[in-house]
């Protein structure tokens, strides 16, 4: 059984940076396509980034590309989301997700496993 646990959220000032972590247990992370989504207060969950199982293809939400970067540490079985130049509108609960298919996707229903989320709050 796959379990995902996010951490690294918190309160940061506008312009600051945070790195979120998503630790997978129960399976080897390298055999999954991983993604990050976020949900702001009063809004639907939205796609942030997805990285294919092999790491060869990465999809970013266009407006976030350049500020957010996904990466992976195979030895730690952990996926990361580096967030720079943070803005108040980045405030949300951030979720990592995993799917067995090798292809990255923006569609949240196509992910099989989800973490519990970690809160990111950006103050102005």
């Amino acid at each position: 059984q796959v379990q995902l646990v996010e951490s690294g959220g918190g309160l940061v000032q506008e312009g600051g940076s945070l790195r979120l972590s998503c630790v997978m247990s129960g399976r080897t992370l390298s055999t999954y396509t991983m993604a990050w989504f976020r949900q702001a207060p009063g809004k639907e969950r939205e796609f942030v980034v997805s990285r294919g199982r092999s790491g060869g293809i990465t999809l970013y939400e266009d407006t976030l590309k350049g500020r957010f970067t996904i990466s992976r540490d195979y030895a730690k079985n952990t996926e990361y989301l580096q967030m720079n130049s943070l803005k108040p509108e980045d405030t949300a609960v951030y979720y990592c997700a995993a799917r067995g298919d090798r292809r990255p996707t923006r569609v949240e229903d196509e992910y099989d496993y989800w973490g519990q989320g970690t809160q990111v709050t950006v103050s102005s």
Side-chain angles (χ1 to χ4, degrees), residues 7 15-16 19 22 27 44 46-48 55 72 91-92 108 115 117 119:
S7 63
R19 188 178 75 161
C22 174
R27 292 290 187 275
E44 294 186 350
E46 64 177 5
F47 171 78
V48 174
R72 183 175 295 181
T91 294
E108 64 176 274
Q119 176 71 48

Side-chain angles (χ1 to χ4, degrees), residues 33-38 46-52 57-62 64-65 68-71 79-83 94-97 104-106 111:
T33 286
M34 300 297 294
W36 289 91
F37 289 77
R38 68 183 184 181
E46 64 177 5
F47 171 78
V48 174
V49 60
S50 176
R51 178 180 171 131
I57 298 175
T58 302
L59 301 177
Y60 283 94
E61 164 58 37
D62 288 343
L64 300 177
K65 193 173 184 179
F68 288 17
T69 304
I70 191 172
S71 64
E79 196 83 4
Y80 299 102
L81 180 66
Q82 178 68 41
M83 306 185 295
Y94 284 72
Y95 299 89
C96 70
T105 177
R106 295 177 171 88
Y111 288 87

Side-chain angles (χ1 to χ4, degrees), residues 25 78 93 95:
S25 61
T78 300
V93 177
Y95 299 89

Side-chain angles (χ1 to χ4, degrees), residues 3 6 16 18 23-24 27 32 36 38 43 46 50 53 56-57 60 77 85 91 96 99 101-102 104 114 120-121 123:
Q3 290 188 325
E6 303 98 330
L18 281 175
V23 179
M24 176 180 284
R27 292 290 187 275
Y32 289 85
W36 289 91
R38 68 183 184 181
K43 296 186 178 181
E46 64 177 5
S50 176
R53 190 168 67 192
I57 298 175
Y60 283 94
N77 222 37
S85 302
T91 294
C96 70
R99 69 191 297 243
D101 192 284
R102 62 179 177 83
W114 291 83
V120 172
T121 304
S123 63

